[in-house]
Amino acid sequence: MTRRYTIIIISTILFFAGIKTGVAATNTDSIIVGAAQIPVYLPLLQQKNIALVVNQTSVVANSHLVDTLKKLGCNIQLIFALEHGFRGDADAGEELGNSVDAKTGIPIFSLYGKSKKPSPESLQNIDIVLFDIQDVGARFYTYLTTLHYVMEACAEQKKPLLLLDRPNPNGFYIDGPVLDTAFSSFVGLHPVPIVYGMTIGEYATMINGERWLRDSVQCNLQVIRMQKYTHKSRYVLPIKPSPNLNSQQAIYLYPSLCLFEGTVISMGRGTTTPFQLIGHPKFDSLYAFSFTPKSIPGMSKNPPYEDKACHGINLQRFNADYFYINKQLNLNWLIELYNQYPDKERFFNPFFDNLAGTNQLRKQLKEGYTAAQIRENWQPQLNKFKKVRSYYLLYP
């Protein structure tokens, strides 16, 4: 079949399915994501046994990519599910088992349970792996680690990986401590800052180019680039990327607030506005604002301080332009709540250093460093990272 007729058939199917090829963005031009460029990548999938790494964000307008590709006759053999599950309704950290998708009957292999990496057996009859996941641009978001393991498995089993690129909603700045590989974990494997300013396609290219995969193997990677995207783009996600990042405000605040996961402070898990609230029951005499976490199925089961009033700061109306203008994390909340907490020796838990990617931030907070002093210490490593990053950018 010629390319011309393939495009005509695709256009007809998309018309009757009501599928659009653009995604709304807040910049003046409409960004066209990788998944929307079906005529570009469909020929790479035809007559192939396909495994998909997808979740609820893997959508072309109003149709899930799985449904779209099935309508186009693609032979989908397997779905790999990440943290939060294929449908995006599992709690953070909830272990997932293998299953079958009720709608399509396609087997689902969990990459957030006993296995974090596709097994050789799971890839045995697969010709190509397709990755289409919305990232949020923060190092501790676990989809990056899953990307690493998928690339590693593909390299080891000699399977090509096709990645459909999507915008980074925090792609307009770079900040935070660069991870010390002594603190590598599932919430951060690579020597990058908390906010790295790259799309997931650019990041995958960097993993390959820097030979970060085990034994320095390289993946046969092809990235379907976006159209009309730049790192200055202001992009509002049309679908929440995970249960507790349920608004654009939370997505902007997440890189600054997720560090509280390594402390005694609640970030609003167990409310309808997580990652927009911070507080603790012991702050009752310090802050007038309060919230009470409750168990919410599909968002937060048994959250910290369940049914206890937490007093603190409401960030729902915080002007998120702060991040776009200042191009930096907000450390003021972390410093303030650490200084206010009465038992400072118990403020941090061991998870904090994994999230920060270093033990230096915790030590600096204990020693009373200001935000400016902390950020000054980051600069030499940030400058080195920015140079490495520049080699792998696909967009201006």
Side-chain angles (χ1 to χ4, degrees):
M1 183 181 294
T2 67
R3 179 177 174 84
R4 176 174 177 268
Y5 287 116
T6 299
I7 293 173
I8 291 172
I9 291 170
I10 293 168
S11 300
T12 303
I13 292 173
L14 294 181
F15 176 81
F16 285 108
I19 297 171
K20 301 175 183 178
T21 56
V23 177
T26 57
N27 56 320
T28 53
D29 296 323
S30 179
I31 297 169
I32 303 174
V33 301
Q37 299 179 61
I38 297 174
V40 176
Y41 64 85
L42 183 63
L44 304 174
L45 303 177
Q46 291 173 333
Q47 310 302 317
K48 301 286 180 64
N49 289 336
I50 308 163
L52 300 182
V53 185
V54 289
N55 66 4
Q56 78 285 352
T57 66
S58 309
V59 169
V60 183
N62 60 349
S63 177
H64 196 283
L65 187 63
V66 169
D67 301 324
T68 301
L69 293 180
K70 280 183 70 66
K71 289 178 183 177
L72 293 170
C74 291
N75 186 17
I76 303 170
Q77 294 287 307
L78 185 64
I79 294 169
F80 288 110
L82 292 72
E83 184 180 9
H84 307 297
F86 171 47
R87 299 295 179 185
D89 53 3
D91 285 349
E94 181 179 343
E95 188 169 300
L96 304 172
N98 297 336
S99 59
V100 174
D101 180 45
K103 182 176 181 181
T104 62
I106 299 172
I108 298 174
F109 186 99
S110 172
L111 298 180
Y112 200 76
K114 293 179 181 179
S115 270
K116 299 293 191 292
K117 175 178 173 179
S119 67
E121 294 75 20
S122 68
L123 293 175
Q124 185 174 1
N125 297 317
I126 299 300
D127 298 315
I128 188 169
V129 178
L130 186 152
F131 188 105
D132 180 34
I133 297 287
Q134 177 63 60
D135 184 31
V136 299
R139 185 187 65 221
F140 28 61
Y141 206 56
T142 63
Y143 297 162
L144 289 179
T145 302
T146 299
L147 170 65
H148 173 105
Y149 288 135
V150 168
M151 291 179 65
E152 193 170 270
C154 286
E156 292 169 349
Q157 302 306 315
K158 296 180 172 48
K159 308 292 183 180
L161 178 65
L162 180 66
L163 190 150
L164 310 182
D165 212 1
R166 289 183 178 269
N168 178 350
N170 286 302
F172 48 81
Y173 73 112
I174 303 160
D175 199 29
V178 172
L179 179 138
D180 176 348
T181 53
F183 293 90
S184 291
S185 70
F186 200 73
V187 291
L189 282 180
H190 310 120
V192 305
I194 287 176
V195 184
Y196 42 83
M198 305 176 80
T199 69
I200 200 161
E202 292 172 328
Y203 198 99
T205 305
M206 181 169 64
I207 290 174
N208 240 5
E210 294 300 303
R211 294 183 176 271
W212 286 338
L213 302 177
R214 188 171 64 182
D215 298 328
S216 298
V217 295
Q218 287 187 300
C219 174
N220 179 2
L221 172 71
Q222 182 173 349
V223 177
I224 302 300
R225 302 185 188 189
M226 293 175 283
Q227 295 180 22
K228 301 183 180 180
Y229 172 81
T230 78
H231 286 283
K232 294 181 181 179
S233 300
R234 301 288 294 273
Y235 183 77
V236 175
L237 299 190
I239 298 170
K240 63 182 180 181
S242 50
N244 285 282
L245 291 181
N246 59 0
S247 71
Q248 192 68 26
Q249 182 78 348
I251 289 164
Y252 286 140
L253 290 167
Y254 175 74
S256 297
L257 295 193
C258 192
L259 288 167
F260 283 112
E261 297 268 36
T263 74
V264 296
I265 301 300
S266 167
M267 294 136 304
R269 289 189 184 276
T271 73
T272 57
T273 52
F275 290 101
Q276 299 175 67
L277 316 171
I278 44 177
H280 190 276
K282 290 186 177 180
F283 291 157
D284 56 317
S285 63
L286 298 173
Y287 298 97
F289 172 75
S290 69
F291 58 92
T292 303
K294 302 285 185 181
S295 187
I296 304 176
M299 281 186 67
S300 188
K301 299 173 185 174
N302 309 120
Y305 313 118
E306 185 174 2
D307 298 325
K308 295 181 180 178
C310 294
H311 297 259
I313 304 171
N314 183 355
L315 296 170
Q316 293 180 74
R317 295 189 178 182
F318 176 78
N319 187 355
D321 282 348
Y322 168 93
F323 303 108
Y324 194 80
I325 295 168
N326 294 288
K327 304 291 190 291
Q328 63 184 30
L329 300 168
N330 191 316
L331 291 171
N332 296 327
W333 303 312
L334 184 60
I335 292 170
E336 177 181 339
L337 269 59
Y338 171 73
N339 289 334
Q340 296 281 20
Y341 193 69
D343 188 357
K344 291 181 174 49
E345 288 303 312
R346 297 188 179 183
F347 183 81
F348 299 102
N349 64 49
F351 194 40
F352 185 86
D353 290 353
N354 291 121
L355 290 167
T358 173
N359 59 9
Q360 293 303 303
L361 179 57
R362 174 175 50 82
K363 292 178 179 179
Q364 290 165 347
L365 290 165
K366 287 185 172 183
E367 292 171 12
Y369 278 47
T370 65
Q373 289 171 327
I374 292 171
R375 189 165 279 109
E376 184 179 354
N377 276 267
W378 294 343
Q379 290 313 307
Q381 290 297 316
L382 277 176
N383 290 337
K384 289 181 182 178
F385 168 75
K386 288 176 182 178
K387 184 175 181 180
V388 172
R389 169 184 176 271
S390 68
Y391 301 146
Y392 302 107
L393 294 182
L394 304 175
Y395 313 96

